[in-house]
Amino acid sequence: MDRDLPLLSVRSVTKSYGARIGCADVSFDVWPGEVVAIVGESGSGKTTLLNCISTRLEPTAGTVSYRMRDGEMRDLYRLGEAERRFLLRTDWGFVHQNPADGLRMTVSAGANVGERLMAVGQRHYGNIRATATDWLGRVEIGADRIDDQPRSFSGGMRQRLQIARNLVTAPRLVFMDEPTGGLDVSVQARLLDLLRGLVHDLGLAVIIVTHDLAVARLLSHRMIVMKDGRVVEHGLTDRLLDDPQAPYTQLLVSSILQV
Amino acid sequence: MTAATYNFAYLDEQTKRMIRRAILKGIAIPGYQVPFASREMPMPYGWGTGGVQVTAAILGPDDVLKVIDQGADDTTNAVSIRKFFQRVAGIETTTNTADATIIQTRHRIPETPLQEGQVLVYQVPIPEPLRFLEPRETETRKMHALEEYGLMHVKLYEDIARNGHIATTYAYPVKVEGRYVMDPSPTPKFDNPKMHMSEALQLFGAGREKRIYALPPHTDVVSLDFEDHPFEVQRFDRPCALCGAEQVYLDEVVLDDRGGRMFVCSDSDHCETRQAEGFRGELAGEKLDASTSDRTEEVI
Amino acid sequence: MYVAVKGGEAAIDNAHRLLADRRRGDRSVPTLGLDQIAEQFALSVDRVMSEGSLYDRRLAALAIKQARGDLIEAIFLVRAYRTTLPRFGHSEPVDTGAMQVERRISACFKDLPGGQLLGPTFDYTHRLLDDELDGDPAVEPGALRDGAAEPATQIADILGGEGLIEEDPLAPGEPGDINQTPMEFPLSRAMRLQSLSRGDEGFLLALGYSTQRGYARSHPFVGEIRIGEVEVEVFVPELGFAVPVGRVQLTECQMVNQFKGSAKTPPQFTRGYGLVFGQSERKAMAMSLCDRALRAEELGEDIVAPPQDQEFVISHCDNVQATGFVEHLKLPHYVDFQAELGLVRTMRAEYEATRNEDVEIREAAE
């Protein structure tokens, strides 16, 4: 894979609901191994944008293209449903804010992690279980919990299990929607630390939506700031947080970071 | 109202054509569930209306029909369905597996291997193998279309994780021709291997759920499993108490209230044929011929 | 020595004989005539016609008699007969606006064209058992209106004039037919209404009730209920026009529901619709509540409760299907049960084995 070519290209993506704008005219690229944070207040259109580029919500206008494993750039909304779903369960991951949305709460942790492997045709119980055990370890869940259902897990554990479930097929791109939202501050810190390590070790590209600039600072290389459905500023995370240009970004940075 | 007169095999010809079209489509796409406009039948939904409609649609005046329920020809519902076709089609019936051209069954596949030219019609209560994993029809159809069967293996995985082995004993899912996952109807998994590469045409009718599916002769039918937990059929640790048969599926009969049990063939035709050939199990006794001809009461 | 259970055939014949005996009961009590059932159990007959999906009072009465008064069994008998009848075509939409109403009430307006007409209703009877009915007391004939009835304008036309209620245009083309088409979800509203119209009264009543208690609340008002006869017409291509083929009694309920409006639609009332054979306003009302709930997706509402879920409601509303599948559990399941027995025994043995191992290890340790 050529690391000099973008993995994902978003061009003029717009989503409108009648007269109301979800997001408007958003364009950016994501390179392999790069973490891009989309930040903004609730209602800024960041989740709409995330859904549009992850094929969960068809945009009203614009294109989203993805470089497939064969190197070819494909328009995601021209993929057949079979291709799209295959992509979703192999080459992509999606980490929901609420782990219950991304986990099967009534099957064991081991099966939650193993499901993607079985979906792509692995048929050796012992190997699937070994891989699941390994991944539980990587997200700091004890091997003795492998047969427990996520219902019995704490919020932080559930979120780590959801991450393991997504990463087991070695995806190249992971979408995250407020992955630390709803967790206690100390649990958040541990999760962020874990995520940072995994993203770095695996060379993952990540698009993460967050309202929390601290999360963006810790995890991302680049940031996109949104307000009222539009991009107000876009740049390297360090530059943007240290020297915000747009008045809105300046307000955000001053109000949140200098607490 | 004058006495109702019914068409040959009850259904009108237009309905039969509609069902035959569904059957043909099913044969063309082995294991795929074809929706059809199932009719109300004069027996309750869930009592074989799907099988009865399939049989009615393919039955001709020269056919010889056998009907079994739990493997036996004389269980009440089998008797009732056989009587129905005698009345509305006037066809010949048999209890002998080899003599039948059409065999309608609930929950068993006969022990005697089926031959070319025979048709086995299954009564199916819930045709959707994914139903208890995903209750939504709209979603399960999509899962079949896209071959998304990971969830099916999740269920088997959970069985092994919890019990050390796969805990599905009947209605054990199969994959047909490497494509569709199919419910074999609630036959014991003991019968699954009989579906594979069968010489006979196998048709499945689900009346209440309005689906027909099929396995043409010589179809590849594989029971789902893991490489290190391969599919296994039930084994019985003793032969049939009446005919001494081994490697057959047995019914457990409670003899008394002190734990007395005996195991006899579930396939009554198979058992009687063997007894007629002189095979004896440990509880058969010698006066067997006289007592089997008395078909009205049970005797111990 | 053991001989396997035989005699299914004789047992069935004997069961049928006993059933016939029990149906007739005490021979010194006169048998019921079908006219007695049709006249005096008219509402049972209506329900059997409605859920049996066949408008024939005599056959419905016969089915009730044959079923010993078990209405679901009677409905089943009628359905099984109905399915053998050839399908000639479909009628023109009946004009319930031109209904010769025997009862017509609206909960929305105190008075309206055509007036409020109570008709033969239990509504304001005191539910006191009437011992006199043990005999055959003289009954006065009902009071009749003088002269021709004033046309009863439909509630939708009253509200529609101001554009306050959603339009309900005639669907183009031939309507679907749940008897002819395989059921594939999502269903059109026409197909859903057909299913609901012959759905089980008790099931729809419970679901409709649940919408009132907050499971998919829709703020319903009875726009109107009307009961009466309408003419059924069939278009005959050879003649080039529709000809009347008979009259049927119907109960129609127009439920008027609150709706805030959306990006595309101005605020207006929405509708839930119920239509059944004969006189059964409980069923028609329940149906209209369910119809409205099932329109959630079309109206952009969140699907949060069972009455809004068409797969749930339509797949389970048919009592002939439901009773068949529930009751099939009494059929033999020896073979499956044997399979489960074997498994439970194996698992028990494994469980005992590991427990014994534990005990041995503990004892060894001690």
Side-chain angles (χ1 to χ4, degrees):
Chain A
M1 172 58 58
D2 194 335
R3 293 190 75 87
D4 297 334
L5 293 171
L7 188 61
L8 185 84
S9 276
V10 179
R11 288 292 172 274
S12 311
V13 163
T14 297
K15 177 71 194 176
S16 53
Y17 304 90
R20 197 166 63 77
I21 296 285
C23 61
D25 197 24
V26 179
S27 301
F28 65 95
D29 290 327
V30 180
W31 273 266
E34 185 187 35
V35 180
V36 176
I38 303 172
V39 301
E41 305 167 303
S42 55
S44 62
K46 58 189 192 302
T47 297
T48 302
L49 177 63
L50 186 75
N51 287 335
C52 281
I53 59 185
S54 59
T55 77
R56 300 160 62 84
L57 180 68
E58 189 161 2
T60 319
T63 59
V64 185
S65 321
Y66 180 71
R67 191 167 304 280
M68 309 294 272
R69 291 210 181 204
D70 61 7
E72 197 191 336
M73 208 68 181
R74 301 278 301 275
D75 182 342
L76 291 174
Y77 286 96
R78 288 171 183 265
L79 292 180
E81 178 145 26
E83 281 180 300
R84 193 175 62 79
R85 283 204 180 199
F86 186 75
L87 196 66
L88 282 174
R89 65 177 189 241
T90 55
D91 218 21
W92 286 9
F94 197 107
V95 177
H96 298 261
Q97 173 171 7
N98 179 2
D101 294 339
L103 291 172
R104 293 194 189 279
M105 297 304 280
T106 55
V107 310
S108 68
N112 262 294
V113 179
E115 179 172 353
R116 279 181 159 222
L117 299 173
M118 293 183 257
V120 297
Q122 285 207 26
R123 292 291 176 265
H124 191 284
Y125 175 83
N127 293 349
I128 292 164
R129 201 167 165 84
T131 310
T133 311
D134 176 50
W135 267 102
L136 290 179
R138 292 171 81 164
V139 297
E140 299 167 14
I141 295 175
D144 60 329
R145 304 302 303 269
I146 190 167
D147 293 330
D148 294 344
Q149 296 182 357
R151 285 193 294 197
S152 68
F153 287 8
S154 67
M157 272 175 88
R158 288 180 185 184
Q159 198 54 293
R160 280 179 275 134
L161 179 63
Q162 191 190 186
I163 289 162
R165 174 177 160 87
N166 272 284
L167 299 188
V168 67
T169 49
R172 293 186 298 158
L173 176 61
V174 178
F175 301 93
M176 299 185 185
D177 187 8
E178 303 274 9
T180 57
L183 298 176
D184 293 344
V185 177
S186 62
V187 179
Q188 274 189 25
R190 184 177 169 196
L191 187 71
L192 283 172
D193 208 36
L194 178 80
L195 268 179
R196 194 158 59 159
L198 286 172
V199 166
H200 181 261
D201 295 349
L202 299 168
L204 284 178
V206 176
I207 298 175
I208 181 171
V209 157
T210 179
H211 69 280
D212 186 344
L213 290 190
V215 170
R217 161 162 275 176
L218 262 169
L219 283 183
S220 72
H221 305 114
R222 256 188 319 138
M223 273 176 66
I224 294 169
V225 182
M226 291 189 72
K227 183 179 190 299
D228 300 332
R230 294 174 191 278
V231 175
V232 295
E233 192 163 359
H234 179 182
L236 292 175
T237 302
D238 291 341
R239 195 281 295 159
L240 201 142
L241 290 177
D242 294 342
D243 180 21
Q245 302 294 307
Y248 177 72
T249 317
Q250 290 167 355
L251 189 73
L252 262 190
V253 170
S254 63
S255 66
I256 298 169
L257 279 189
Q258 271 78 47
V259 177
Chain B
M1 187 179 67
T2 53
T5 51
Y6 293 104
N7 191 30
F8 176 79
Y10 183 77
L11 293 174
D12 61 280
E13 293 303 315
Q14 205 183 340
T15 301
K16 287 187 194 173
R17 270 198 295 277
M18 176 271 292
I19 295 172
R20 285 184 206 129
R21 274 197 293 271
I23 293 172
L24 286 174
K25 186 169 179 183
I27 292 172
I29 318 170
Y32 169 74
Q33 301 167 51
V34 184
F36 80 112
S38 177
R39 291 296 140 91
E40 266 101 4
M41 297 300 282
M43 57 272 294
Y45 281 115
W47 297 51
T49 55
V52 168
Q53 288 181 77
V54 168
T55 300
I58 62 170
L59 197 65
D62 299 331
D63 273 309
V64 180
L65 179 69
K66 172 182 164 82
V67 183
I68 53 173
D69 188 339
Q70 314 298 302
D73 298 90
D74 55 6
T75 32
T76 42
N77 204 42
V79 169
S80 168
I81 290 172
R82 186 164 57 240
K83 251 184 143 171
F84 172 73
F85 280 112
Q86 279 169 341
R87 183 189 294 172
V88 298
I91 39 93
E92 193 186 330
T93 62
T94 183
T95 57
N96 187 320
T97 301
D99 290 345
T101 57
I102 299 174
I103 302 169
Q104 180 168 329
T105 181
R106 177 167 170 264
H107 294 195
R108 275 310 310 277
I109 300 175
E111 304 290 0
T112 314
L114 299 178
Q115 304 300 318
E116 187 182 332
Q118 289 186 305
V119 184
L120 184 60
V121 178
Y122 296 76
Q123 301 172 197
V124 182
I126 303 271
E128 179 50 74
L130 304 166
R131 175 65 68 239
F132 300 107
L133 303 169
E134 169 56 62
R136 243 154 247 289
E137 176 76 17
T138 35
E139 184 59 23
T140 54
R141 287 185 78 79
K142 197 173 273 181
M143 289 161 78
H144 282 295
L146 301 174
E147 259 187 285
E148 281 192 4
Y149 294 131
L151 201 51
M152 201 84 230
H153 268 88
V154 168
K155 198 234 164 242
L156 300 180
Y157 173 99
E158 288 288 272
D159 273 2
I160 301 173
R162 202 170 306 135
N163 307 307
H165 41 74
I166 293 170
T168 303
T169 58
Y170 62 94
Y172 191 105
V174 294
K175 195 157 197 184
V176 178
E177 288 288 322
R179 177 58 180 86
Y180 284 99
V181 167
M182 184 190 98
D183 183 307
S185 86
T187 50
K189 64 179 179 177
F190 180 88
D191 286 337
N192 273 20
K194 295 179 187 154
M195 290 189 291
H196 176 60
M197 291 294 163
S198 172
E199 301 256 319
L201 169 63
Q202 301 173 77
L203 302 177
F204 299 78
R208 196 178 36 77
E209 300 277 341
K210 302 176 173 53
R211 295 288 183 272
I212 283 173
Y213 50 104
L215 298 171
H218 307 287
T219 297
D220 187 62
V221 180
V222 178
S223 303
L224 300 183
D225 63 2
F226 287 102
E227 290 156 15
D228 48 343
H229 285 266
F231 172 76
E232 280 178 348
V233 298
Q234 290 102 338
R235 285 179 218 289
F236 292 86
D237 55 8
R238 67 198 90 184
C240 168
L242 294 181
C243 76
E246 295 179 21
Q247 318 287 316
V248 294
Y249 197 78
L250 301 177
D251 277 345
E252 180 170 342
V253 179
V254 179
L255 295 175
D256 52 44
D257 57 4
R258 298 178 304 278
R261 297 280 195 276
M262 69 184 286
F263 288 82
V264 297
C265 283
S266 120
D267 183 338
S268 57
D269 170 62
H270 186 71
C271 196
E272 283 163 20
T273 306
R274 280 177 54 86
Q275 290 176 53
E277 289 166 356
F279 292 101
R280 289 291 180 274
E282 53 171 355
L283 290 175
E286 284 311 312
K287 288 195 299 180
L288 188 97
D289 293 347
S291 11
T292 44
S293 62
D294 171 16
R295 301 178 74 89
T296 51
E297 273 307 321
E298 68 265 54
V299 186
I300 292 174
Chain C
M1 205 201 91
Y2 176 81
V3 177
V5 183
K6 297 284 177 197
E9 194 149 359
I12 289 176
D13 289 343
N14 285 335
H16 290 172
R17 221 174 101 188
L18 192 56
L19 175 68
D21 175 80
R22 293 292 192 267
R23 182 192 59 69
R24 180 58 185 86
D26 184 345
R27 309 294 198 276
S28 67
V29 175
T31 189
L32 276 172
L34 298 190
D35 52 347
Q36 289 174 309
I37 297 173
E39 289 300 315
Q40 295 174 43
F41 286 167
L43 299 187
S44 293
V45 167
D46 285 346
R47 179 169 176 200
V48 171
M49 291 197 305
S50 179
E51 294 172 30
S53 210
L54 183 69
Y55 196 90
D56 188 320
R57 303 198 76 82
R58 191 184 161 277
L59 284 183
L62 176 63
I64 291 169
K65 182 173 180 179
Q66 189 176 330
R68 306 178 66 190
D70 177 337
L71 293 190
I72 291 184
E73 182 66 25
I75 289 161
F76 183 11
L77 284 168
V78 167
R79 287 264 197 101
Y81 173 71
R82 172 195 192 285
T83 191
T84 65
L85 299 175
R87 184 184 196 272
F88 296 121
H90 58 90
S91 76
E92 295 293 295
V94 292
D95 180 6
T96 52
M99 179 185 280
Q100 195 168 353
V101 293
E102 188 174 42
R103 168 166 167 80
R104 189 282 192 106
I105 52 163
S106 170
C108 291
F109 296 104
K110 184 168 184 188
D111 198 7
L112 66 175
Q116 304 263 18
L117 197 60
L118 278 185
T121 176
F122 289 117
D123 286 355
Y124 306 103
T125 61
H126 298 135
R127 270 64 169 196
L128 304 172
L129 283 172
D130 181 359
D131 242 341
E132 273 195 33
L133 288 180
D134 189 21
D136 187 12
V139 175
E140 279 182 81
L144 296 178
R145 67 168 80 84
D146 302 323
E150 186 191 347
T153 312
Q154 286 182 307
I155 186 80
D157 293 335
I158 296 170
L159 291 169
E162 283 183 75
L164 294 179
I165 193 163
E166 60 173 337
E167 302 257 346
D168 192 10
L170 210 56
E174 188 167 337
D177 181 344
I178 54 172
N179 300 295
Q180 303 285 316
T181 325
M183 195 162 282
E184 286 183 80
F185 293 100
L187 294 172
S188 66
R189 187 173 175 213
M191 299 279 271
R192 295 199 305 256
L193 286 169
Q194 287 175 42
S195 300
L196 293 176
S197 183
R198 69 185 207 187
D200 183 74
E201 178 176 318
F203 180 74
L204 298 185
L205 179 66
L207 279 180
Y209 176 45
S210 75
T211 68
Q212 290 179 282
R213 293 194 64 259
Y215 292 85
R217 183 138 187 251
S218 63
H219 306 272
F221 295 91
V222 169
E224 70 167 337
I225 292 168
R226 53 174 69 199
I227 302 175
E229 286 194 347
V230 295
E231 193 143 73
V232 179
E233 293 184 324
V234 172
F235 182 79
V236 183
E238 289 82 355
L239 298 176
F241 54 85
V243 294
V245 293
R247 299 181 71 79
V248 294
Q249 188 193 31
L250 297 175
T251 302
E252 181 187 58
C253 174
Q254 295 265 9
M255 204 63 89
V256 173
N257 302 77
Q258 205 181 60
F259 180 51
K260 286 194 280 288
S262 72
K264 285 180 221 145
T265 6
Q268 58 183 352
F269 291 110
T270 56
R271 305 163 183 244
Y273 188 68
L275 183 73
V276 294
F277 283 156
Q279 176 174 351
S280 178
E281 57 193 62
R282 181 189 303 125
K283 167 76 178 284
M285 291 173 76
M287 175 176 168
S288 61
L289 291 173
C290 291
D291 170 49
R292 176 60 184 79
L294 288 173
R295 298 181 61 209
E297 192 167 358
E298 170 199 344
L299 297 171
E301 295 166 344
D302 290 335
I303 296 183
V304 293
Q308 299 169 304
D309 180 335
Q310 55 165 292
E311 283 205 42
F312 180 82
V313 174
I314 304 297
S315 301
H316 301 120
C317 72
D318 188 297
N319 53 26
V320 178
Q321 289 174 12
T323 198
F325 202 46
V326 166
E327 294 196 49
H328 108 285
L329 290 173
K330 64 196 168 191
L331 286 180
H333 285 79
Y334 321 137
V335 163
D336 312 353
F337 189 71
Q338 189 60 51
E340 294 290 81
L341 258 182
L343 179 67
V344 173
R345 282 181 180 140
T346 309
M347 284 162 49
R348 277 297 287 258
E350 287 165 1
Y351 174 79
E352 299 295 340
T354 47
R355 235 175 45 152
N356 291 342
E357 261 170 46
D358 291 349
V359 172
E360 276 163 31
I361 290 168
R362 223 176 313 131
E363 281 172 358
E366 282 164 12

